Amino acid sequence: MIMNEYFFNVAGFVFEVIVPHDTDIEKLLPTFRPFRYSKALDKEPLFIFRVNYCEYSENPDTEYLFIDESLNDMGRVRLYSMDGGYCMKISFRNDDMEHCAVSDSSFKMTDAYINGGDRYVGEVVSSLLRMVYSQAIIPYGGISVHASSVILDGRAYLFMGKSGTGKSTHSGLWIKTFHGCSLMNDDNPTMLIKNDVVMAAGTPWSGKTPCYIDVIVPVGGIARLRQAAFNRFSICDGFQAFINILPGCSVIRNNTVLQNYMHQTLARVSELVNVGVMECLPDIDAACICREGFKKVKK
């Protein structure tokens, strides 16, 4: 079968997507358009993701060990470890229409087996790419974080917390309150360190809010939000900063190699960036207190 190759650059990480010749890449992955990479590669892509429109045939001699299951905006996702790598199974809004992706242990090569009859085939491919990307970047100092993020005065501010905490609401309050503040990403920005500066980058994955911006800016602060009957910002130091960022980072929980890489990066992030806990109401006062909290203590 004739295949077409496309390259994308997200947060400085270049990867390749291979699809059948008759696939309209713009229609399949519309949110990836701002991240298309057309320059000549001076090195191998970080990973290769190949789309196959066929059913995955499990090897009866292969043992699949269940790791985790989640139900979120990506649909129903199940993760298995297998000899030499991982198997990801996903059903997007339809449990009868399951898709699968098989990656090697380093996530450098992934074969996705997609049911082309699914009306959500684009969302499925995007979600699988998101999972592969989040693991492939870890050894290279990248971290995919679950956060809503804004840009103000040339710096990114990330708001983390459990689902339903009000991350998007808090971003909206910053945009409404502070002149020149804009949304960078509403669900899944990337963090990385360049020359001892923590940076945040936009990605093709932004949850329910369309915001797909190819931008990388220094991080001004990270706040973990907690709903409360009052507004109070508390700065975190050392280990407290580390453990308040950790829950929002994407890493396979039983992969000690990836976890060690990520912990090293997070430890450095905790040293270089102001991290705080924002106990808050969904009001403008919360945005003002959070911003002032970051201003008082600068790293």
Side-chain angles (χ1 to χ4, degrees):
M1 178 183 292
I2 299 175
M3 307 290 279
N4 285 343
E5 302 174 340
Y6 298 93
F7 296 91
F8 300 91
N9 183 349
V10 178
F13 300 107
V14 178
F15 56 89
E16 179 180 359
V17 177
I18 302 175
V19 296
H21 178 69
D22 57 354
T23 298
D24 184 342
I25 195 68
E26 298 289 339
K27 184 177 180 180
L28 180 69
L29 298 171
T31 67
F32 285 63
R33 187 178 298 116
F35 304 91
R36 282 282 294 272
Y37 187 82
S38 57
K39 299 178 182 178
L41 290 181
D42 56 359
K43 58 182 178 180
E44 291 185 0
L46 181 62
F47 65 85
I48 298 172
F49 186 97
R50 184 165 52 206
V51 175
N52 306 278
Y53 292 122
C54 62
E55 187 176 350
Y56 174 61
S57 298
E58 294 186 1
N59 187 334
D61 297 326
T62 299
E63 184 178 6
Y64 295 84
L65 299 177
F66 177 77
I67 296 177
D68 196 13
E69 181 175 4
S70 61
L71 186 63
N72 50 41
D73 62 305
M74 293 193 297
R76 180 171 176 256
V77 179
R78 287 175 291 166
L79 177 64
Y80 301 84
S81 64
M82 51 186 286
D83 184 29
Y86 294 92
C87 178
M88 295 158 280
K89 296 184 178 181
I90 179 172
S91 302
F92 195 90
R93 302 185 184 179
N94 186 349
D95 281 342
D96 295 329
M97 196 89 65
E98 188 173 68
H99 312 264
C100 179
V102 177
S103 298
D104 60 21
S105 59
S106 60
F107 291 91
K108 288 188 176 297
M109 184 67 211
T110 298
D111 266 297
Y113 299 90
I114 306 299
N115 187 329
D118 193 335
R119 61 180 294 192
Y120 299 109
V121 63
E123 288 86 345
V124 167
V125 174
S126 177
S127 295
L128 289 171
L129 271 165
R130 171 179 165 181
M131 286 184 272
V132 171
Y133 170 88
S134 67
Q135 305 309 302
I137 65 175
I138 292 174
Y140 302 92
I143 302 177
S144 181
V145 294
H146 181 46
S148 184
S149 53
V150 298
I151 298 175
L152 177 62
D153 297 332
R155 292 185 176 273
Y157 294 87
L158 278 63
F159 309 121
M160 307 178 74
K162 296 180 180 180
S163 296
T165 304
K167 298 181 291 295
S168 297
T169 298
H170 197 75
S171 285
L173 290 169
W174 275 58
I175 294 168
K176 180 179 180 180
T177 306
F178 308 125
H179 178 72
C181 185
S182 61
L183 186 68
M184 185 181 80
N185 186 277
D186 201 34
D187 186 63
N188 204 227
T190 295
M191 279 199 310
L192 62 155
I193 302 174
K194 285 189 174 183
N195 300 319
D196 279 340
V197 177
V198 180
M199 312 291 287
T203 73
W205 308 284
S206 187
K208 297 177 181 178
T209 306
C211 186
Y212 315 108
I213 305 172
D214 181 17
V215 63
I216 303 179
V217 294
V219 174
I222 303 171
R224 185 162 189 83
L225 304 182
R226 294 176 182 167
Q227 293 180 341
F230 50 84
N231 292 316
R232 179 173 62 195
F233 180 88
S234 305
I235 201 71
C236 299
D237 290 322
F239 183 66
Q240 286 299 317
F242 179 94
I243 63 174
N244 273 292
I245 305 174
L246 181 61
C249 300
S250 298
V251 64
I252 295 176
R253 65 185 185 186
N254 74 335
N255 190 316
T256 56
V257 174
L258 290 180
Q259 284 191 343
N260 287 338
Y261 276 122
M262 192 189 72
H263 290 168
Q264 292 172 18
T265 303
L266 273 189
R268 191 70 181 128
V269 169
S270 302
E271 294 174 354
L272 295 171
V273 172
N274 285 329
V275 179
V277 172
M278 183 67 214
E279 300 167 278
C280 58
L281 294 162
D283 58 22
I284 289 177
D285 189 44
C288 295
I289 290 175
C290 186
R291 186 185 183 191
E292 287 303 313
F294 286 132
K295 284 183 177 179
K296 288 179 181 179
V297 183
K298 291 186 178 181
K299 291 186 179 179

